[in-house]
Amino acid sequence: MQKLKTTDLNRVDVAAFKEQEKLPVVVVLDNVRSMNNVGSAFRTADGFSIEKIYLCGITAQPPHREIEKTAIGATASVDWKHYENTLDAIQDLKADGYKIIAIEQAVDSIYLHEFKPGQQEKYALIFGNEVNGVSEEVMAVIDNCIEIPQFGTKHSFNIVISAGIVLWDFYAKMRLLVK
C-alpha cells in the first residue's frame, strides 16, 4: 500500500469549488468559543462541500490566524456569514425553506442513524457552544433535534467531531446511498 501524494488527489481549486454542486446544508455555529473549532468546522464543511456556514453570536470570524491554523484555507472556499443573534440566522434560513435541526441531547431527539434526510430538502444544522450546547432560545424554534449515540463515560463529543460525524452521515445518505 502506498499513500497518495497531494498532486495525485485531483482536488478542485477554490474557483471550481465555488461552482460545484453543494450538499444542501448550512452549518450554524451557535456561540462557539474556540477559534480552532471554527477553523475545523470550515475545513470539514469544505470536505463535504456544504453550502455555507453561519457564524453566530460570539463565534469568531475570519480572517484570523487562530481560525486559519485549522481551516488551512477553507475560509476562502466555504461561503460564510456572521449574525449577531442565532435567532436572526434561523429566521432567514426558515424563510429560505431550510429545515432547522439542532445537534443536541434532548427530550424526543432522534438518533442520527434513524434520521432520514429528504432528498429534496435543505437543512440547517446547529452546533452549539462547547460548554452549554445549543442555546435554550434556539431549541425553542427548531424543527427537529438529532442526537449522536454515545457509549463511553463522557457526556458529549467535541463540536467538530460532532460536525464531522453528522456531515458525513448526511453526505452518505443524500449523495452516496441514493437509490
Side-chain angles (χ1 to χ4, degrees):
M1 187 72 56
Q2 183 177 351
K3 290 175 31 176
L4 294 173
K5 296 179 177 78
T6 303
T7 55
D8 297 329
L9 296 176
N10 298 317
R11 298 289 189 225
V12 297
D13 61 18
V14 172
F17 179 88
K18 294 278 190 184
E19 297 299 320
Q20 74 186 20
E21 182 181 3
K22 302 290 188 290
L23 191 68
V25 169
V26 173
V27 166
V28 178
L29 300 183
D30 179 27
N31 291 294
V32 172
R33 325 177 279 181
S34 165
M35 287 189 244
N36 289 324
N37 281 340
V38 174
S40 293
F42 269 97
R43 190 168 172 190
T44 303
D46 176 279
F48 291 114
S49 190
I50 70 158
E51 289 181 354
K52 61 190 108 167
I53 294 180
Y54 285 178
L55 309 170
C56 302
I58 65 166
T59 306
Q61 306 162 54
H64 197 285
R65 186 181 57 131
E66 290 299 310
I67 293 173
E68 282 305 320
K69 278 183 183 179
T70 51
I72 310 177
T75 56
S77 57
V78 178
D79 291 339
W80 63 274
K81 184 174 183 178
H82 179 259
Y83 282 85
E84 290 295 324
N85 185 309
T86 308
L87 291 177
D88 293 337
I90 291 170
Q91 183 179 5
D92 286 353
L93 287 159
K94 282 190 177 207
D96 287 338
Y98 287 83
K99 301 288 183 200
I100 311 301
I101 300 176
I103 311 304
E104 188 59 84
Q105 297 163 330
V107 174
D108 297 325
S109 63
I110 299 170
Y111 281 135
L112 178 60
H113 64 280
E114 295 172 348
F115 183 81
K116 306 285 187 257
Q119 294 302 314
Q120 304 305 315
E121 298 290 342
K122 301 186 298 185
Y123 296 96
L125 304 176
I126 305 170
F127 297 90
N129 176 275
E130 293 89 342
V131 174
N132 301 314
V134 176
S135 67
E136 292 296 337
E137 64 183 10
V138 169
M139 291 296 289
V141 298
I142 62 173
D143 297 314
N144 221 324
C145 184
I146 291 176
E147 182 174 340
I148 304 168
Q150 298 175 54
F151 310 99
T153 62
K154 300 302 173 196
H155 66 278
S156 66
F157 288 115
N158 174 280
I159 178 179
V160 177
I161 299 302
S162 295
I165 292 168
V166 173
L167 289 174
W168 164 247
D169 185 80
F170 268 66
Y171 189 89
K173 289 174 180 172
M174 295 180 83
R175 293 288 192 261
L176 302 178
L177 302 175
V178 178
K179 296 184 180 191

